[in-house]
Amino acid sequence: MSDIPDAPFNAVYLGIGTAAWVVAILKFRAWRRDPSPGLLVVALTIAAPSTAFVVASPVLYRLIDEVTGRGNLSTLLVYLGITSFSAGAVVLARMWTPPKERANARVWDAAGDTWRHVRRRLAVFAVLAPVMIVLFFTGGADSPESPLTFDTTFATVPQIAVFLVIYQALFGFALIDISRVCYGHASRLPYGWLRRGIRLIALGGYVACGYVVCKLIAIGAAFADVTGTEWLSTALGPVFAALGAMLITAGFAGPAVAAWTRRRRDYQALRPLWDLVYGADRRLALEDPPSAWTERLAFRDLEWRAARRGLEIRDGQLTLRPWIAPGTVTAAATVAERAGLDEADRAALTVATALRSAVAALNTGTDPRPREDQTPLPGLDTEPVDERAHLVRVAGYLYAPLTDEALAVATA
């Protein structure tokens, strides 16, 4: 029984494992919405070490050993979980490596070449994982129970020493491989959260290599019956592992959290514009407006909600088009030019001014204009990928001082 306190390791391992599992669940949900091999590999690559960290917590480590009736069985489960992460990382490294430029290359040639690389590397893991299991069970490392000091306690047993070296070698190779590829992959991405996330994964992989170095030194010293290096395995190594795991988890989670935040922000930002068109024609919406609290507590299906809101706004814009006065568009263009707005903001100001004036004309009973006299608004030909950003910008200008100024100019 180790005299190292369990509490800090329980807190760190359970905390990291739980946080990583939350990220894994989000990735599995994303994969269900958009089934693709890449998302599935990412989800599995996160889930494997998440489980390993949870099992490595001394409280669960001892519980599993007690339930199964075999001491230190949790060590095998933890190391197989990290080995599964290593296999997933190697697969991701191959998937994220751009195919080599070849003359007359076809799309499926690159995919086939990637799969050949993946199969060769997975074959190594498929062979060595059973070898690790055999070495563990033949090494007789079931007593004493050592949740925190297993490596240095049993490194003197040849089978266990080989088991540990194989595990660390696979882990170290995967960390270096995924880190190297991630740095190259990030350099080809535009600035943003995806680029930051990929770089965090690379940084976390290199930091976690410190765990491998500390462990190999401690294992080698214990095998050679040299004392005084146990702290590398029990203290410094876990620090590198925990810090690396946090960086890698943040790297995987960062882009997803940023995308979720952006979808939620867009959904809420579109509300004033949606309210305007809904007030003009209540047939546009599938359901009544959500309450303020419902809007604040909207955390799920945000992409669908925001997309539906954008479509209903577009329908409302077409509905209001017969009441848009040409003078309003001209006034908005004048104010926009005076304010020095760029093209995107100029279009947003024009649409916001036109829609407010159209609603006012509709409410006062103004007759609609015939189709041939209707004024087209900018932004209708916006690409789908940019349409939501345009509508969010329109919503931002809806009650802005420049819009009030443009309406005043149009009225004058």
Side-chain angles (χ1 to χ4, degrees):
M1 196 70 74
S2 171
D3 57 356
I4 301 175
D6 291 351
F9 290 90
N10 282 327
V12 172
Y13 288 173
L14 288 175
I16 293 175
T18 302
W21 252 115
V22 170
V23 177
I25 291 171
L26 294 176
K27 294 297 183 182
F28 277 119
R29 287 188 61 196
W31 171 71
R32 286 188 61 187
R33 290 194 301 268
D34 178 23
S36 66
L39 270 177
L40 180 59
V41 173
V42 168
L44 293 173
T45 303
I46 301 172
S50 305
T51 305
F53 266 93
V54 172
V55 173
S57 62
V59 61
L60 285 179
Y61 186 105
R62 301 184 196 281
L63 178 61
I64 292 173
D65 290 354
E66 181 180 348
V67 171
T68 60
R70 182 178 180 93
N72 297 316
L73 178 62
S74 298
T75 292
L76 177 62
L77 301 178
V78 170
Y79 286 5
L80 288 178
I82 300 299
T83 301
S84 299
F85 161 80
S86 302
V90 168
V91 172
L92 286 178
R94 299 282 71 73
M95 295 177 70
W96 289 347
T97 299
K100 297 179 180 178
E101 298 293 333
R102 296 191 300 270
N104 302 319
R106 293 171 294 185
V107 173
W108 53 83
D109 292 335
D113 184 59
T114 299
W115 177 236
R116 282 192 295 272
H117 282 284
V118 167
R119 280 189 301 180
R120 284 199 295 266
R121 283 160 175 79
L122 286 182
V124 175
F125 286 89
V127 171
L128 291 181
V131 171
M132 291 173 60
I133 295 173
V134 171
L135 290 170
F136 180 85
F137 282 111
T138 58
D142 54 347
S143 181
E145 188 179 52
S146 309
L148 302 176
T149 60
F150 178 89
D151 294 357
T152 52
T153 300
F154 295 101
T156 55
V157 181
Q159 295 98 315
I160 301 301
V162 176
F163 162 80
L164 294 172
V165 169
I166 292 175
Y167 158 66
Q168 296 293 347
L170 292 175
F171 189 35
F173 170 76
L175 290 173
I176 294 174
D177 200 29
I178 191 67
S179 298
R180 175 185 57 82
V181 170
C182 280
Y183 266 123
H185 186 46
S187 65
R188 295 185 294 273
L189 294 172
Y191 287 99
W193 263 107
L194 182 58
R195 176 172 176 153
R196 296 189 199 105
I198 296 295
R199 283 189 166 174
L200 281 176
I201 295 172
L203 178 60
Y206 283 132
V207 170
C209 285
Y211 164 84
V212 176
V213 173
C214 290
K215 285 287 187 178
L216 287 176
I217 294 174
I219 292 167
F223 184 78
D225 203 21
V226 176
T227 60
T229 60
E230 293 82 1
W231 62 276
L232 290 172
S233 176
T234 58
L236 188 58
V239 170
F240 280 115
L243 183 56
M246 287 189 288
L247 290 170
I248 292 173
T249 301
F252 280 117
V257 172
W260 178 87
T261 303
R262 184 175 61 254
R263 287 193 292 267
R264 189 167 189 269
R265 183 181 63 242
D266 290 349
Y267 171 66
Q268 294 177 335
L270 290 172
R271 177 63 186 266
L273 185 55
W274 184 87
D275 283 339
L276 183 77
V277 298
Y278 177 75
D281 187 354
R282 294 179 179 271
R283 297 171 299 175
L284 294 171
L286 295 175
E287 57 189 24
D288 293 335
S291 66
W293 274 107
T294 301
E295 188 112 338
R296 291 192 190 98
L297 297 176
F299 295 106
R300 297 181 56 189
D301 303 323
L302 292 170
E303 179 62 30
W304 178 79
R305 292 170 189 251
R308 195 186 78 179
R309 184 163 281 183
L311 290 173
E312 291 170 352
I313 289 171
R314 280 301 197 192
D315 290 341
Q317 184 172 326
L318 294 175
T319 299
L320 290 170
R321 185 171 173 178
W323 285 273
I324 296 175
T328 304
V329 175
T330 303
T334 301
V335 172
E337 184 175 359
R338 187 187 307 156
L341 300 182
D342 59 22
E343 183 178 353
D345 285 327
R346 183 190 300 262
L349 175 63
T350 301
V351 175
T353 305
L355 292 180
R356 280 185 58 184
S357 70
V359 169
L362 175 64
N363 291 336
T364 57
T366 303
D367 293 333
R369 295 174 178 275
R371 181 179 296 273
E372 60 272 14
D373 291 339
Q374 293 176 10
T375 304
L377 292 178
L380 288 176
D381 57 348
T382 304
E383 294 293 331
V385 68
D386 300 321
E387 185 176 52
R388 186 180 302 171
H390 166 70
L391 293 178
V392 168
R393 189 176 278 110
V394 172
Y397 274 106
L398 197 59
Y399 299 107
L402 284 178
T403 306
D404 294 334
E405 181 181 346
L407 289 171
V409 170
T411 303

